[in-house]
Amino acid sequence: MNYVSTRGATQVNAATAIRLGIAPDGGLFTPNKIPKFNQAKLHELAGLNYQALALAIIQEYLSDFAPAKLAEMIKAAYDYPEKFAAAEITPVTKLSDGQYLLELWHGPTCAFKDLALQLLPHLMVEASKLSGETAEIIILVATSGDTGKAALEGFRDVPGTRVIVFYPEEGVSPIQRLQMVTQLGENTEVVAIKGNFDDAQNAVKQIFTDPELAKTLAKQQMVFSSANSINWGRLVPQIVYYFYGYFELCRQGVLKIGEKLNVTVPTGNFGNILAAYLAKEMGLPLGKLICASNSNNVLSEFINTGIYNRQRDFYTTISPSMDILISSNLERLLYYLVNQKPQVVKELMQELQETGRYQLDQETLARLKQDFDGGFASEDETKQVIRQIYQTEKIVIDPHTAVGVAVYQEYQQATLDPTPNLIASTASPFKFASSVLQAIKKEDAQLEQDEFKLLDELAQLAQMKVPDSLSGLAKQKILHQKICAKTELAQVVGEILGL
Ligand SMILES: *Cc1c(COP(=O)(O)O)cnc(C)c1O
């Protein structure tokens, strides 16, 4: 399997794509050919447990990795109960008739990012070995809240790696912040930036593609890589759970193999929903892929109009992991939509860079709309859905998942589409305890100030146990207090690495 840059002619193998994280021309590595499974193969895969299914899918893409080695890494990453608190890894639960939740938050940091970031460090270390690289790998991460913690946990004390995380000072939930600033591990650094996620992601992308810095780094026997979803190694593990969710619904008697399933994904950087698209392209019988945005609705607008316009106000919402206006992974979708012509993608990305917008032609937009639908939920709608689902179903969902539920409800009312729907439930409600409680209680209800009392209160309401990794935060020391301006990232990286 070969990987190409979405913006140019570079061709590399999987190991190189994962090790580099981003293509030298600023494009993203993506498979030049998507593997296909036929009906017989789907029947074969349907009986597998999560780990065996992961191996069957991932080895199609990482063909330069030895299958036995992959199996070993998958076993370590998706270990129950050591790493994941559910034996199924991503259980499927019923929300209401025809609506199901794919619970992606049973990993160590309570958000879906764990599904990728428990495996990525293993892939990265092996990719280095396969490429004969001995340089220390410096993982730079820009986070809207969940990737940072998941990357820190995944790479913590992994030999030959260091991880530096930048998070927006004002843009994460109190629990998300605590999770990061208490991070243990000799090789971890966490820095708050005075800016938003887009500022952090842009600065990090610039550092990655700065040739001078790369040279300085090489002299120190170091090399940069990425744990954001611009790295192909982040995306490939995410394809697995769409297959798993589909087969789980077959086991639960909701579907027969071959029947269509819609998928709704609360979306920010377009990584998670791109994995669903890849699963569909591989032959999984998915119907509409419904892209759910919060008030930062640049993506749902794009799907409806073909116009991508990031020249708009940025909102800080109660679903902070989706507070993004520059969705990196959309570039991979564009690449496939324009029939794998890197020159076209390059021009669109250049236009975006220079003018802050671009527009698809009618034919490409029509192709986009065949697979995708999109909508957005305001803050009020999101809170209302959290309250409604709690009152009618006695289920507590987090604000990101609630955006997905709200957008699906609207889609359903508009289309009356009878196809069953699987909603990616991307985070544990405990990560956003104060927003969730405020939504369930009356708007003017006075909330407890102590975040840990809120966790207990939510546990009572939800009839769920507070995840150990979150209740344990109360006793952890604050270890990371660095803070910098959004123009200072390169300098801070230099200081941390002693360049
Ligand atoms: C990262 C994240 C998202 C957005 O996922 P993308 O792959 O960036 O589209 C949604 N919900 C939660 C809880 C997240 O952590």
Side-chain angles (χ1 to χ4, degrees):
M1 168 79 61
N2 275 323
Y3 290 79
V4 287
S5 164
T6 48
R7 297 187 198 176
T10 323
Q11 282 227 13
V12 299
N13 63 12
T16 307
I18 291 172
R19 193 172 50 78
L20 294 179
I22 188 168
D25 59 15
L28 306 187
F29 286 119
T30 203
N32 64 348
K33 197 161 166 273
I34 299 170
K36 303 268 187 225
F37 290 157
N38 60 22
Q39 194 83 0
K41 180 78 178 182
L42 290 180
H43 280 271
E44 201 181 294
L45 297 176
L48 300 180
N49 69 13
Y50 195 92
Q51 293 78 359
L53 184 64
L55 179 61
I57 291 166
I58 295 173
Q59 70 179 357
E60 293 284 333
Y61 286 98
L62 308 189
S63 49
D64 42 326
F65 288 62
K69 190 77 202 174
L70 278 178
E72 212 176 277
M73 298 190 278
I74 286 167
K75 185 161 176 277
Y78 303 119
D79 184 84
Y80 165 78
E82 177 73 25
K83 303 283 189 184
F84 283 79
E88 307 96 313
I89 308 300
T90 60
V92 174
T93 53
K94 183 169 174 176
L95 180 62
S96 60
D97 282 339
Q99 284 197 73
Y100 300 85
L101 294 175
L102 178 61
E103 295 185 357
L104 301 174
W105 40 263
H106 294 279
T109 76
C110 307
F112 88 86
K113 307 295 198 293
D114 288 324
L115 273 307
L117 282 160
Q118 282 299 308
L119 185 60
L120 183 66
H122 297 284
L123 296 177
M124 191 84 84
V125 169
E126 182 65 10
S128 271
K129 277 191 204 147
L130 290 172
S131 320
E133 265 287 346
T134 51
E136 187 180 22
I137 305 171
I138 313 297
I139 307 290
L140 294 185
V141 182
T143 185
S144 54
D146 291 325
T147 294
K149 180 61 184 181
L152 290 162
E153 263 318 294
F155 281 95
R156 163 174 128 189
D157 294 326
V158 172
T161 71
R162 278 163 90 169
V163 49
I164 306 174
V165 168
F166 294 97
Y167 73 92
E169 189 193 12
E170 306 282 335
V172 300
S173 82
I175 292 284
Q176 284 179 312
R177 189 182 149 273
L178 262 185
Q179 280 185 304
M180 290 189 277
V181 298
T182 57
Q183 180 64 44
L184 299 171
E186 289 298 314
N187 63 341
T188 62
E189 292 278 352
V190 179
V191 185
I193 78 155
K194 296 191 189 113
N196 62 34
F197 171 75
D198 291 319
D199 297 324
Q201 175 163 262
N202 279 342
V204 163
K205 272 190 184 171
Q206 246 166 38
I207 296 175
F208 279 139
T209 46
D210 180 338
E212 283 307 308
L213 200 53
K215 268 187 225 150
T216 315
L217 215 59
K219 283 200 201 111
Q220 306 288 321
Q221 277 290 302
M222 293 176 188
V223 63
F224 284 132
S225 191
S226 169
N228 281 98
S229 55
I230 54 176
N231 193 321
W232 174 252
R234 263 287 299 277
L235 282 184
V236 67
Q238 296 183 191
I239 300 170
V240 176
Y241 49 71
Y242 290 104
F243 278 86
Y244 189 82
Y246 184 93
F247 294 139
E248 187 58 32
L249 286 173
C250 294
R251 282 189 282 274
Q252 293 180 13
V254 175
L255 288 174
K256 287 197 196 66
I257 294 177
E259 290 177 352
K260 284 252 188 301
L261 172 69
N262 288 342
V263 168
T264 303
V265 185
T267 304
N269 223 351
F270 212 76
N272 204 359
I273 197 166
L274 185 77
Y277 171 80
L278 291 165
K280 183 175 180 183
E281 287 293 302
M282 289 175 79
L284 189 67
L286 299 182
K288 279 283 183 227
L289 309 174
I290 301 164
C291 170
S293 299
N294 64 20
S295 318
N296 296 295
N297 62 347
V298 64
L299 281 169
S300 55
E301 183 180 285
F302 173 69
I303 288 166
N304 287 308
T305 64
I307 299 172
Y308 193 97
N309 184 1
R310 70 169 162 84
Q311 303 285 77
R312 59 176 73 226
D313 289 339
F314 175 89
Y315 299 104
T316 301
T317 73
I318 58 168
S319 48
S321 304
M322 297 156 66
D323 290 346
I324 294 176
L325 293 179
I326 306 171
S327 273
S328 295
N329 275 293
L330 191 59
E331 183 169 342
R332 286 190 167 105
L333 177 67
L334 287 177
Y335 177 77
Y336 295 112
L337 285 180
V338 302
N339 296 320
Q340 312 198 193
K341 294 196 192 82
Q343 192 54 37
V344 180
V345 177
K346 193 173 162 182
E347 280 160 19
L348 290 173
M349 291 301 111
Q350 204 152 357
E351 207 180 324
L352 180 64
Q353 176 92 30
E354 285 161 12
T355 69
R357 88 193 273 287
Y358 62 84
Q359 178 162 14
L360 297 184
D361 60 49
Q362 286 307 315
E363 189 196 329
T364 312
L365 176 60
R367 202 167 312 139
L368 172 72
K369 283 189 170 176
Q370 268 171 22
D371 287 317
F372 290 88
D373 208 291
F376 77 98
S378 69
E379 290 292 89
D380 278 346
E381 286 164 336
T382 308
K383 289 179 202 163
Q384 208 178 318
V385 159
I386 294 174
R387 193 179 317 129
Q388 174 218 329
I389 297 293
Y390 175 70
Q391 284 170 351
T392 58
E393 314 295 337
K394 289 283 167 276
I395 295 173
V396 176
I397 54 176
D398 99 285
H400 305 77
T401 307
V403 168
V405 174
V407 168
Y408 176 72
Q409 286 179 350
E410 200 177 300
Y411 167 85
Q412 228 292 324
Q413 273 161 20
T415 61
L416 303 176
D417 186 345
T419 314
N421 179 55
L422 186 64
I423 297 171
S425 178
T426 49
S428 158
F430 290 104
K431 265 191 125 156
F432 305 94
S434 44
S435 306
V436 170
L437 277 168
Q438 193 77 67
I440 290 176
K441 295 178 161 196
K442 289 222 171 60
E443 199 57 39
D444 51 3
Q446 202 55 32
L447 283 194
E448 182 63 63
Q449 287 300 305
D450 180 335
E451 201 62 29
F452 296 97
K453 291 204 179 124
L454 291 180
L455 290 181
D456 291 337
E457 192 180 342
L458 191 58
Q460 285 229 318
L461 268 184
Q463 297 289 303
M464 283 162 77
K465 191 173 162 294
V466 183
D468 293 340
S469 62
L470 301 187
S471 55
L473 288 172
K475 294 190 283 304
Q476 305 259 334
K477 273 212 203 68
I478 308 274
L479 300 171
H480 304 273
Q481 317 219 42
K482 279 202 184 72
I483 181 163
C484 77
K486 65 186 180 189
T487 50
E488 290 174 346
L489 271 69
Q491 193 186 326
V492 169
V493 168
E495 280 164 18
I496 289 172
L497 299 177
L499 299 179

